Amino acid sequence: MSSPAPTPTPPTGSPTPSPHATPPAAGATDEPQAPPATHASPATHTVRAAEPANPAGTANPANRADPVSPVRTAKPVDAAEERRQRRFALIGGSLGNLVEWYDWFIYASFAIYFADSFFPGDNPTTKLMNTAGIFAVGFLMRPVGGWVLGRAADRHGRKSALTLTVTMMSVAALLIAIAPTYDQAGYGGALVLLLARLLQGMSIGGEYAASATYLTEASARHRRGLGSSFQYVSMTCGQLLGLGILITLQHTLTKGQLESWGWRIPFLLGTVFAVVVYWLRRRLTETQAFQEKSVDGPDDGAGTLKVLWQHRRQAGLVMALTLGGTVAYYTYTTYLTKYLIGSAGMPKNTATLVSFTALAVFAVLQPFAGALSDRIGRRPLLITFAVGCTVGTYPIMTALGSASSYWPALGLSLIALVVVTGYTSINAAVKAELFPTRVRALGVALPYAIANALFGGTAEYVALWFKNSGHESMFFWYVSGCALVSLVTYLLMPDTRNVALSRAEEAADDPSPTETSHPADALAPGGAATTAAPTAEAVATEAATAEAKAKAEIGGLRSAGAP
């Protein structure tokens, strides 16, 4: 009787099988099983890492820990359960982002009603400049929030950072809702307003990066543009929710009631929304890319400025590509209503309705543009945006200044927002695709927050400053100039569509004979594309082949005189 074939020794670095693991079925291979993950029980195998990235960016070499990298892959789960997990990842990442940006934007939407409550004087433009100044100050905390919360996301996970940001935002919304007026506490009320905006700025600085990273990593590789586009869908829906509440209050309360106490209602609602989202985000699943990094053990360099400095070129790209997009976005969203009221002479109700309708169409456009970028690349959309904004801002803003009725103002606003869609729909994916996992959240957060603090947050203030000085049209050239800087950046940077965000995706670029790609065609709950487990027939065939080979080898040894 022939002796059994020896059991192969696991490769160095392979994880120890869990003592609670289910014994393998008869005929199964002897490969060690990895401990179960939170969302599925992954297997572990070893593959050769991808080659260094080419100029087009087909792989991200910074994801490699060594020449041979373990890749965690998820076993197939029930189709219905998989769909449920995908939907939950998308909804959880997007809905929380919606509430964050709702709280952020209602400040700008309701400023025309509460400016009198905190600042004395007879000049309405000066009062709006004061409230816009506090709005801009909130942006100064965004780099701080981007640094602190981006580091937390890279070291402790995207899920924990997302939970923390929504907690901070709910506290800030509550502070604004209960802030005393100038008549009650002098400038003490304005101080509470300022503190709340600083806290909101810190929260939103981390929220942008955490949600951008989460939605990008949680998307199937060939649908990252589509998946990440939901960041601006949720951001815009947050604005729409705020504007919808504003329109409702305008039709149910008098102007005096709105200016006296009605403006506090949306901030109280924001607090309630944030509590609900906190509960939802506690139940999110961590992304596959971050789980891979966690398996490697503690990483003292993750999320640090030292590691970010090693990727300073990518950080510079984030700032430059953000410059034009953030100025254009805030010009045609938060500032648009004030511009239609103050410069075009449009009634407040009509101007608000124009903004609401235009933003609703804008939100619908985001997934279509994101999906288009998955087919043709990111750069064509970015370049289209920059060219359109550079040459189109002056004529569009000039025409809007003369639009005193609903339909002309809506048509011009839609033209502008269609152009801006080329940036907003994919900028989250582009930024996340520039960095490796260990510094991805911080790499997105800090340079983006700095660019927003310098240009996005000050856009409304700069516009009002030019208006107050009698040179309002100079602001239009300012927006065009910012877009021109970004255009040069888009022309010079590589397309990031095919960059690998995890070792599993790198393995797909250079597959081993034992690997099979999982047909993931939507948002994956674990983030990176998974690999399919072999079928029962394939396992049985492989086992039979191995047994026959072992018997042949033993027979050969005996014929050669071996004992």
Side-chain angles (χ1 to χ4, degrees), residues 23-396:
T29 60
D30 293 327
E31 293 180 0
Q33 301 298 312
T38 55
H39 61 282
S41 299
T44 303
H45 63 277
T46 303
V47 299
R48 182 167 61 87
E51 296 299 324
N54 60 31
T58 56
N60 196 339
N63 283 326
R64 295 180 299 176
D66 48 59
V68 179
S69 303
V71 179
R72 292 169 60 84
T73 60
K75 292 180 179 179
V77 297
D78 179 75
E81 175 64 15
E82 186 175 9
R83 287 194 297 269
R84 188 195 69 80
Q85 291 181 352
R86 290 172 178 171
R87 287 195 298 266
F88 192 76
L90 175 61
I91 293 171
S94 300
L95 189 59
N97 196 49
L98 182 154
V99 174
E100 286 268 352
W101 290 95
Y102 162 83
D103 284 330
W104 178 259
F105 282 118
I106 56 175
Y107 179 96
S109 298
F110 282 83
I112 56 179
Y113 292 105
F114 66 70
D116 289 340
S117 298
F118 296 101
F119 302 101
D122 298 325
N123 189 332
T125 302
T126 301
K127 292 179 182 180
L128 284 177
M129 286 183 67
N130 288 330
T131 56
I134 292 181
F135 183 80
V137 166
F139 280 82
L140 297 179
M141 286 299 291
R142 291 180 68 161
V144 178
W147 172 48
V148 174
L149 297 172
R151 176 183 172 91
D154 285 328
R155 296 180 72 87
H156 305 294
R158 319 319 188 193
K159 172 184 171 180
S160 63
L162 287 170
T163 304
L164 180 58
T165 59
V166 76
T167 303
M168 296 169 62
M169 186 62 76
S170 64
V171 173
L174 182 61
L175 284 176
I176 297 177
I178 64 175
T181 65
Y182 179 82
D183 293 336
Q184 295 170 333
Y187 284 108
L191 179 61
V192 173
L193 199 66
L194 176 62
L195 292 175
R197 285 301 294 179
L198 292 175
L199 186 59
Q200 283 188 329
M202 187 171 181
S203 172
I204 213 71
E207 169 67 24
Y208 177 87
S211 63
T213 303
Y214 184 85
L215 289 173
T216 303
E217 289 182 347
S219 300
R221 186 175 186 177
H222 64 289
R223 293 202 173 184
R224 287 200 299 246
L226 173 62
S228 65
S229 72
F230 281 92
Q231 184 184 46
Y232 268 82
V233 171
S234 57
M235 285 175 62
T236 305
C237 286
Q239 285 185 270
L240 289 173
L241 180 59
L243 284 173
I245 292 174
L246 175 58
I247 292 172
T248 302
L249 293 177
Q250 285 174 337
H251 286 82
T252 56
L253 300 177
T254 65
K255 179 181 178 182
Q257 289 173 327
L258 267 173
E259 292 176 346
S260 176
W261 54 268
W263 61 266
R264 298 181 186 272
I265 295 175
F267 294 101
L268 289 172
L269 290 175
T271 305
V272 176
F273 296 156
V275 172
V276 175
V277 170
Y278 174 84
W279 175 85
L280 181 65
R281 283 189 164 179
R282 292 280 294 175
R283 287 154 179 77
L284 287 176
T285 301
E286 189 55 82
T287 66
Q288 179 74 18
F290 184 81
Q291 287 181 0
E292 284 182 0
K293 187 183 79 67
S294 300
V295 169
D296 296 337
D299 184 356
D300 294 336
T304 61
L305 295 176
K306 180 180 179 181
V307 175
L308 180 60
W309 179 251
Q310 298 172 5
H311 301 276
R312 54 190 177 274
R313 180 179 178 275
Q314 293 93 320
L317 281 176
V318 170
M319 292 186 66
L321 68 90
T322 299
L323 170 59
T326 188
V327 171
Y329 177 76
Y330 281 101
T331 297
Y332 292 114
T333 56
T334 59
Y335 179 62
L336 179 64
T337 304
K338 298 180 183 65
Y339 180 70
L340 292 175
I341 295 171
S343 298
M346 187 174 292
K348 290 181 180 179
N349 292 0
T350 304
T352 303
L353 187 58
V354 168
S355 294
F356 183 88
T357 309
L359 285 173
V361 177
F362 178 67
V364 172
L365 291 175
Q366 304 306 301
F368 291 100
L372 179 62
S373 78
D374 288 326
R375 296 179 63 87
I376 67 174
R378 319 294 190 217
R379 289 177 71 246
L381 271 71
L382 292 172
I383 292 172
T384 299
F385 149 71
V387 171
C389 191
T390 300
V391 303
T393 296
Y394 188 90
I396 290 175

